[in-house]
Amino acid sequence: MTAQFDQDDGVEIACVLIAHDRRRSDRAPGSKPRWQDGRFGRGIRQRLMATYRKLVDRNLIFADAWVHADAALTGRTYIDLPAAFSESDRQTLIDLNIDVVVHCGLRAVSPEVIASAKSGVWSLLGSPAGIEQAYPAGFWPVLKGAPLTRSTLSVTFADRAPVVLAQSWMATSRHSTRDNISRHYWKMLFSIPRAIRRMRDLGASVYFADCRARVDQSFERNFSAPHPGALAYGMYVARAVLRKAIALVDNNVFEQRWRLRRAAPFALTGETRLAEIQHNPDWVYRADPFIHVSGESRFLFFEEYCDRRKLGHLSRVSLDADGRPDGDVRMVLQRPYHLSYPQVLDVDGEQYMLPETSGNKTIELYKATKFPDEWTLHSVLMEDIDASDATLLQRDGLWWLFANVKSHPAVSSQDECFLYFAEDLVGPWQAHPLNPVVSDCRTSRPGGAMIEKDGRLIRPTQDCTYRYGYGLNFMEVTALSTTDYREVLLEHIPPRARSGAIGIHTYAESGDIAFVDELYRSPRWKRKG
């Protein structure tokens, strides 16, 4: 976060305030026995945690955000906050002329600190900064088995009610409290500089009023009791070990693969029906369908993942009048990095393709030199960006680009959809001021080209609650401008269990023809090639 602020000339980190943990692990002479002051149960929990990390969490690779660091390493002044403030302590805080205090710890922030911050104390804990927490945010959803974790950034004032500034929903890590906590903190840390810049642009009073109108203002405590009991924690560890064992067996016996499937076109009324399955060859799986019409010809473009190369390339097949594949599948684009999600569009009589190239940390635009089989790189729309499923739309005289962007390697690519706009297809692209315009793993990630029905703009998206690409959504965009973005859910399509599917995540439509892709489990011993 320090690096993010350092890139902004209008923001300066004045100092670091340190409030030490009140809990002590050493026993004073004459103190109560461990079983009377709760330390006995704490010791059991610590041993259970050690067992859990050895059996479940030991192979997890993640960037731990909950690691103590030396505040002096930031290069800023740091101040140890006293338990009781003197007049000189209060004057020191006043002299610092602080606009915002960012609250990252578990202790409640003292009234003196809250009063010193002109624009309040901004907390990452999911509760107002004046409430002390027992565990970091993201801990209890894992322990309780909740499928979703709500992350919030809130501000606490000295003289008025707190306000939720931003919220995000992510899929809860099933196997790791540490991973869930870290993903929460890394994601919400990046929300702080965004929020401060927007507050600076709008003015504090306008910004806080806008947040009250846009963001769910409910607060959720990060615990239902001060600590989980030893029995409750032991049951959690047992469940986690069992889930880990089942996952290891399942991953070694089965593999997850994508296949294409025909569907009925989306309608504003009624349920979207799925039709016949398009089976894969032995050595590839197919996903991310996009339909393109050129004169009397219809083509289906899609990703093919090659088991031999361990990378995806882009292929196409012709469709007959009924929308069924007709003829041989042909590879149209291959790069030394993974390719997927091949959106094809016509612009001034020319054909362009925007595939996902996150493996190269770019958003690349290709142009057809001989449609539909030959493509060359036309331009790089964005560089040094980890963007997934970038989707283009031309509307109201502007080009719009939707993409899920990872702000940090530890953050999921399913959580946050960013929006950009430009007057020309090749840019320059400008970030939307409300970015991320959607921060919810249930509806964020694009799931195909946008479609229009009876003058209403529909954005297909993915539901990644239980896994990547678990379900498909149709969202109606109700506001799209350079200053505003809103959407509402029209339909949710879960995977069809009767066909053996466990996921569905991309939708393609042209006229009366539509395709989706499905995720299914295939026995490893049946794979050939």
Side-chain angles (χ1 to χ4, degrees):
M1 186 178 66
T2 300
Q4 292 292 312
F5 284 132
D6 286 342
Q7 296 171 7
D8 196 321
D9 294 335
V11 178
E12 177 188 357
I13 298 179
C15 69
V16 178
L17 306 177
I18 305 296
H20 295 283
D21 193 348
R22 290 192 180 96
R23 293 178 298 179
R24 298 176 59 88
S25 59
D26 56 324
R27 289 184 65 199
S31 62
K32 295 181 179 179
R34 292 181 185 273
W35 63 270
Q36 287 186 0
D37 66 5
R39 282 182 288 168
F40 179 73
R42 191 188 310 165
I44 293 177
R45 288 195 301 271
Q46 290 173 347
R47 284 163 175 77
L48 287 169
M49 173 64 80
T51 302
Y52 157 72
R53 290 185 174 178
K54 287 181 180 179
L55 298 178
V56 180
D57 210 12
R58 62 188 179 91
N59 293 322
L60 194 68
I61 300 174
F62 72 104
D64 193 351
W66 199 250
V67 173
H68 290 284
D70 184 354
L73 297 179
T74 65
R76 270 74 181 181
T77 303
Y78 66 102
I79 301 172
D80 284 317
L81 296 180
F85 276 77
S86 64
E87 194 59 40
S88 62
D89 295 326
R90 293 188 182 90
Q91 189 59 47
T92 298
L93 289 175
I94 294 173
D95 293 342
L96 287 171
N97 194 30
I98 298 172
D99 290 300
V100 172
V101 171
V102 178
H103 179 216
C104 299
L106 298 179
R107 280 187 56 178
V109 178
S110 66
E112 291 85 355
V113 174
I114 296 176
S116 72
K118 290 180 287 186
S119 294
V121 176
W122 295 23
S123 175
L124 299 172
L125 292 174
S127 299
I131 298 177
E132 185 159 353
Q133 304 289 306
Y135 287 95
F139 173 84
W140 277 100
V142 182
L143 204 72
K144 293 181 176 181
L148 293 167
T149 296
R150 182 192 183 209
S151 299
T152 61
L153 171 65
S154 64
V155 56
T156 302
F157 303 101
D159 56 353
R160 56 189 186 275
V163 178
V164 178
L165 303 178
Q167 73 171 351
S168 179
W169 292 92
M170 67 180 183
T172 303
S173 175
R174 289 174 55 83
H175 300 299
S176 174
T177 53
R178 292 190 300 165
D179 179 48
N180 211 57
I181 291 168
S182 292
R183 287 193 292 122
H184 155 79
Y185 272 95
W186 286 121
K187 179 167 57 176
M188 298 315 292
L189 280 173
F190 279 82
S191 72
I192 295 173
R194 296 177 197 144
I196 287 179
R197 293 182 191 115
R198 185 155 175 79
M199 180 181 71
R200 182 188 60 193
D201 295 340
L202 295 178
S205 59
V206 174
Y207 173 64
F208 294 139
D210 183 65
C211 291
R212 287 191 186 95
R214 285 182 173 275
V215 185
D216 177 7
Q217 291 299 309
S218 63
F219 288 91
E220 295 183 0
R221 296 290 295 273
N222 289 315
F223 54 89
S224 56
H227 296 283
L231 178 59
Y233 203 87
M235 293 178 64
Y236 160 71
V237 172
R239 290 194 301 268
V241 172
L242 180 61
R243 285 197 301 266
K244 185 72 170 182
I246 293 173
L248 288 173
V249 173
D250 183 78
N251 291 338
N252 282 279
V253 176
F254 298 95
E255 58 184 347
Q256 297 183 0
R257 302 175 73 79
W258 292 94
R259 65 191 176 200
L260 302 180
R261 185 171 184 175
R262 295 190 67 201
F266 167 74
L268 292 172
T269 59
E271 181 180 337
T272 301
R273 295 179 292 104
L274 304 184
E276 66 266 21
I277 294 170
Q278 312 294 310
H279 294 286
N280 295 326
D282 292 328
W283 52 278
V284 299
Y285 69 66
R286 293 168 176 164
D288 292 342
F290 283 84
I291 301 172
H292 186 77
V293 178
S294 179
E296 298 297 321
S297 301
R298 295 177 177 179
F299 300 96
L300 182 67
F301 291 83
F302 49 89
E303 170 201 345
E304 278 194 319
Y305 183 88
C306 179
D307 291 328
R308 299 188 185 100
R309 290 185 67 237
K310 305 298 183 185
L311 289 174
H313 60 260
L314 304 180
S315 297
R316 66 89 177 167
V317 66
S318 298
L319 300 177
D320 63 20
D322 295 325
R324 290 181 172 82
D326 181 26
D328 296 332
V329 172
R330 296 186 180 181
M331 183 174 65
V332 299
L333 187 61
Q334 179 176 290
R335 303 288 281 176
Y337 41 87
H338 181 77
L339 298 177
S340 61
Y341 202 81
Q343 183 187 10
V344 179
L345 58 160
D346 285 320
V347 182
D348 298 330
E350 304 283 355
Q351 290 80 34
Y352 293 86
M353 178 190 292
L354 186 76
E356 182 190 311
T357 53
S358 60
N360 197 40
K361 295 293 188 292
T362 55
I363 299 178
E364 300 174 359
L365 182 69
Y366 289 80
K367 185 177 181 180
T369 54
K370 186 177 180 181
F371 185 82
D373 295 329
E374 296 180 10
W375 301 81
T376 58
L377 179 63
H378 179 266
S379 57
V380 178
L381 304 187
M382 298 184 194
E383 295 183 290
D384 193 25
I385 183 171
D386 193 343
S388 299
D389 297 343
T391 306
L392 283 167
L393 171 71
Q394 189 176 25
R395 192 175 181 88
D396 299 331
L398 292 173
W399 283 97
W400 304 89
L401 189 149
F402 296 78
N404 265 42
V405 178
K406 292 180 63 171
S407 53
H408 185 274
V411 176
S412 171
S413 62
Q414 276 62 269
D415 292 356
E416 296 187 326
C417 182
F418 285 66
L419 179 58
Y420 305 87
F421 55 90
E423 295 182 358
D424 191 85
L425 176 60
V426 297
W429 291 91
Q430 183 174 341
H432 198 280
L434 295 180
N435 275 342
V437 293
V438 184
S439 191
D440 190 332
C441 68
R442 295 170 293 185
T443 59
S444 174
R445 186 160 170 160
M450 301 179 74
I451 56 180
E452 191 167 331
K453 296 282 185 177
D454 298 335
R456 299 163 68 176
L457 185 61
I458 311 301
R459 187 173 81 97
T461 70
Q462 301 178 34
D463 174 10
C464 298
T465 301
Y466 301 103
R467 63 175 60 87
Y468 161 62
Y470 166 74
L472 183 66
N473 307 301
F474 291 103
M475 311 294 296
E476 180 181 1
V477 178
T478 57
L480 176 63
S481 71
T482 57
T483 58
D484 195 12
Y485 182 82
R486 299 174 192 267
E487 63 181 26
V488 295
L489 176 66
L490 295 181
E491 183 184 1
H492 174 262
I493 305 176
R496 301 296 195 252
R498 286 181 296 178
S499 66
I502 59 173
I504 172 174
H505 82 339
T506 308
Y507 175 83
E509 175 187 316
S510 177
D512 58 351
I513 299 173
F515 280 83
V516 297
D517 54 7
E518 281 189 334
L519 182 66
Y520 67 101
R521 295 162 71 248
S522 177
R524 290 185 180 274
W525 66 84
K526 289 188 177 181
R527 176 156 55 110
K528 300 177 182 178

